[in-house]
């Protein structure tokens, strides 16, 4: 199984809503990532979890709250988002303990904030 | 400050010919480089990687060249096929112990039949 599965594929939410994006991998990877990608831009790193602990937070606003319940799951909790947060949110995982190794990406969750 | 740049936003190539996609970086601490391909509405798919101890890595139709002194890498696709039409991102990462992969701005490749 070489897949990273993200749900939902599409999400529309209002600025007062609370929602969550979910990500799952069963490759035994111990590093998991959230990236944000706007149209015609490269993926931008948001968070990295290593061995279920948050190791990198790229100064992301607190309205985005990551959670890693176990080594296979990664959530991104969303609350009080702004329209400019509309983007494709990509989850990824990697096997290695450092930066050497490929990232496996999910198909992404396309978020629209009204 | 864009540490990884792909200066050509788009490239058109005839089917069967060579596609050359370029990537420049500014951070000399980067020591591992990857190329990803992305179709619309899908996540990026890993293509090929190269470590800074090498200057070339080949996998089937895909070859990546690394010129450390110029801080430049390129992806060659030979022969190009219509199914290769996608956006290609290069990515770079630093010394072992970090998890930061920095992506370039992307090049949209169109292979004409």
């Amino acid at each position: 199984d070489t897949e990273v599965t993200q749900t939902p594929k599409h999400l529309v939410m209002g600025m007062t809503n609370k929602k969550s994006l979910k990500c799952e991998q069963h490759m035994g990877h111990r590093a998991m990532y959230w990236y944000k990608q706007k149209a015609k831009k490269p993926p931008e790193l948001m968070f990295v979890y290593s061995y279920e602990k948050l190791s990198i937070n790229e100064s992301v606003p607190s309205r985005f709250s990551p959670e890693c319940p176990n080594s296979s799951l990664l959530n991104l909790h969303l609350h009080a988002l702004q329209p400019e947060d509309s983007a494709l949110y990509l989850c990824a995982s990697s096997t290695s303990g450092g930066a050497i190794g490929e990232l496996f990406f999910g198909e992404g969750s396309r978020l629209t904030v009204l | 400050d864009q540490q990884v740049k792909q200066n050509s936003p788009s490239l058109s190539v005839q089917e069967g010919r060579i596609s050359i996609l370029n990537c420049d970086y500014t951070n000399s601490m980067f020591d591992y480089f990857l190329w990803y391909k992305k179709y619309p509405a899908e996540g990026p798919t890993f293509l090929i990687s190269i470590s800074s101890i090498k200057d070339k890595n080949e996998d089937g139709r895909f070859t990546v060249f690394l010129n450390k002194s110029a801080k430049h890498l390129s992806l060659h696709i030979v022969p190009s096929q219509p199914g290769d039409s996608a956006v290609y991102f290069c990515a770079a990462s630093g010394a072992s112990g970090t998890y930061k992969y920095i992506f370039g701005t992307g090049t949209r490749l169109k292979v004409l039949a």
Side-chain angles (χ1 to χ4, degrees), chain A residues 35 37 42 50 58 97 99 101 103 106, chain B residues 36 38 43 93 98-101 104:
Chain A
Y35 279 84
Q37 187 176 24
S50 170
E58 289 288 281
L103 292 175
Chain B
Y36 282 83
K38 188 177 185 301
S93 69
T98 72
Y99 293 87
K100 294 181 82 165
Y101 296 76

Side-chain angles (χ1 to χ4, degrees), chain A residues 5-7 19-25 30-35 46-57 60-79 90-92:
Chain A
T5 305
Q6 289 187 244
T7 56
K19 296 283 185 184
S20 297
L21 304 180
K22 297 185 183 301
C23 176
E24 190 168 1
Q25 58 89 12
R30 301 314 297 267
M32 295 186 76
Y33 309 72
W34 280 114
Y35 279 84
M46 299 175 72
F47 302 104
V48 181
Y49 273 82
S50 170
Y51 293 87
E52 294 127 67
K53 291 197 169 125
L54 184 64
S55 64
I56 295 179
N57 175 343
V60 179
S62 60
R63 57 186 185 267
F64 295 92
S65 175
E67 179 198 17
C68 190
N70 61 54
S71 60
S72 300
L73 293 173
L74 184 66
N75 299 321
L76 185 63
H77 301 298
L78 315 170
H79 175 52
L90 293 161
C91 174

Side-chain angles (χ1 to χ4, degrees), chain B residues 39-65:
Chain B
Y39 294 117
E42 292 185 12
T45 304
F46 171 75
L47 278 175
I48 192 167
S49 63
I50 188 165
S51 162
S52 60
I53 62 172
K54 292 186 170 185
D55 54 20
K56 177 183 172 181
N57 189 25
E58 198 170 346
D59 184 1
R61 296 187 297 116
F62 302 94
T63 303
V64 56
F65 296 92

